[in-house]
Amino acid sequence: MKVYNNVDDISFFKNRAITVGTFDGVHIGHQSIINTLKNQAVEKKMKSMLITFEPHPQIFLNKNNINNFPLLTTIEERIKIFSSLEIDELLILPFDNSLATLTAIDFICELLHKKIGFSIFIIGFNHSFGKNRQGNYKLLFDLFDNFDAEILRTEPVLLDGLSVSSTIIRQEIMNKNLELANKMLGREYFLTGKVVKGNGLGKKIGFPTANLSIENNYKLIPNNGVYFCKVIIDNEIFYGMANIGTRPTFFQAGSKTIEVNIFNMYRENIYDETIEIYFLKFIRDEKKFSNVDELTAQIHIDEKKCRELISSLFI
């Protein structure tokens, strides 16, 4: 997959099939659009191009509020997922004032049609774009008579009677309903971060943990609690239990941490390494225990439950 970060780096080429969107989460609804894009490109011997934005438009438009729009996927995570879906070209448009004030017609006509080129445009069933979100399927349909181009609108993807959307997935993650969220994503929800030194409390009670630092402040962090998880380090898969919270047994007003006890970990030092934690199942809420012995006993119960869940994955 060829990645472009600037329109000026792209040569005009009419024989393209394109789609445009933020695609936060790259969930199964997004994947349906991308599959249509790829199929059309293969069938008609075109290049497939996906156009997305960084930062997310909602973050840019509400940049004074850091909590305004939690991301399911950072741009780095989206690039990784897009690459796995075998798209030919990815254009990441910097979302700034000039793009935010560009009308839908100018976006389509001047930027996409004249500078990039396309013969097929794939659009999601309810997608809108451009200044004040005035661009939609109807606008494209009206314009394309003059473009000698084809527009295809995909149908919504339904799961458990719900139309799959990034909004619903965010809600289900925060409601600790990982089963539905992960089904809608088409994979387990994950965090990418660097392992940093903690205060060693886990090691002192027999459960050493890797403490994760998340660089992007907008990344959605699941609610506090204990989770059964999968951990990927250097393309190796491990399983374990993650704890998100403030460790109230030790601290009255602790800061929020993300730490994972990795089962069968043979490496002593993974500090400064980037790892991925995939959330498979919610185990229990965070709780303040009367003493360390009570906490340790509960962690043993949590571990037993997680190890049993590992066995169920391979049945």
Side-chain angles (χ1 to χ4, degrees), residues 63-78:
K63 54 191 171 186
N64 293 327
N65 179 6
I66 196 169
N67 297 314
N68 73 309
F69 198 84
L71 289 173
L72 293 172
T73 44
T74 65
I75 188 61
E76 294 80 11
E77 291 166 347
R78 273 186 285 156

Side-chain angles (χ1 to χ4, degrees), residues 9-225:
D9 294 335
I10 301 173
S11 299
F12 176 86
F13 185 62
K14 183 172 174 57
N15 204 27
R16 277 190 176 103
I18 68 169
T19 189
V20 179
T22 52
F23 296 99
D24 184 30
V26 201
H27 54 62
I28 60 174
H30 295 146
Q31 291 170 41
S32 173
I33 296 171
I34 293 169
N35 286 334
T36 301
L37 173 74
K38 292 193 304 180
N39 292 339
Q40 287 291 314
V42 169
E43 179 183 333
K44 296 173 182 176
K45 296 181 173 56
M46 297 181 173
K47 285 185 179 179
S48 58
M49 172 179 275
L50 187 149
I51 301 168
T52 192
F53 309 99
E54 176 61 18
H56 193 292
Q58 291 297 328
I59 290 176
F60 178 83
L61 295 171
N62 298 280
K63 54 191 171 186
N64 293 327
N65 179 6
I66 196 169
N67 297 314
N68 73 309
F69 198 84
L71 289 173
L72 293 172
T73 44
T74 65
I75 188 61
E76 294 80 11
E77 291 166 347
R78 273 186 285 156
I79 291 172
K80 180 179 178 180
I81 298 168
F82 290 147
S83 180
S84 72
L85 295 174
E86 300 179 338
I87 299 161
D88 294 325
E89 300 174 310
L90 173 65
L91 169 60
I92 304 169
L93 290 175
F95 197 88
D96 52 19
N97 277 320
S98 62
L99 197 57
T101 56
L102 194 64
T103 67
I105 290 178
D106 283 343
F107 179 70
I108 294 295
C109 297
E110 302 302 322
L111 183 64
L112 301 188
H113 189 249
K114 288 185 179 179
K115 295 195 74 172
I116 296 173
F118 62 86
S119 292
I120 298 178
F121 192 113
I122 315 296
I123 186 170
F125 76 101
N126 64 348
H127 183 60
S128 55
F129 55 89
K131 184 179 178 182
N132 300 322
R133 301 181 68 84
Q134 292 178 338
N136 51 33
Y137 174 75
K138 184 181 183 306
L139 176 70
L140 290 173
F141 186 83
D142 293 341
L143 286 174
F144 278 28
D145 277 346
N146 303 318
F147 283 176
D148 188 27
E150 183 180 359
I151 176 172
L152 296 176
R153 179 167 59 177
T154 62
E155 295 300 317
V157 174
L158 301 178
L159 187 64
D160 294 349
L162 298 172
S163 178
V164 174
S165 73
S166 299
T167 299
I168 292 177
I169 293 170
R170 292 186 194 97
Q171 292 171 351
E172 296 305 322
I173 290 171
M174 298 313 288
N175 289 336
K176 303 165 187 173
N177 186 3
L178 289 171
E179 288 81 357
L180 180 56
N182 289 342
K183 281 183 183 177
M184 287 190 168
L185 284 168
R187 67 181 175 279
E188 300 92 357
Y189 183 69
F190 70 99
L191 302 177
T192 306
K194 183 177 286 189
V195 178
V196 296
K197 286 194 175 184
N199 51 25
L201 291 173
K203 189 173 183 179
K204 290 177 183 177
I205 61 174
F207 291 93
T209 60
N211 292 267
L212 204 66
S213 172
I214 306 297
E215 183 177 346
N216 192 313
N217 292 327
Y218 290 98
K219 176 71 177 184
L220 175 67
I221 308 300
N223 267 325
N224 292 2

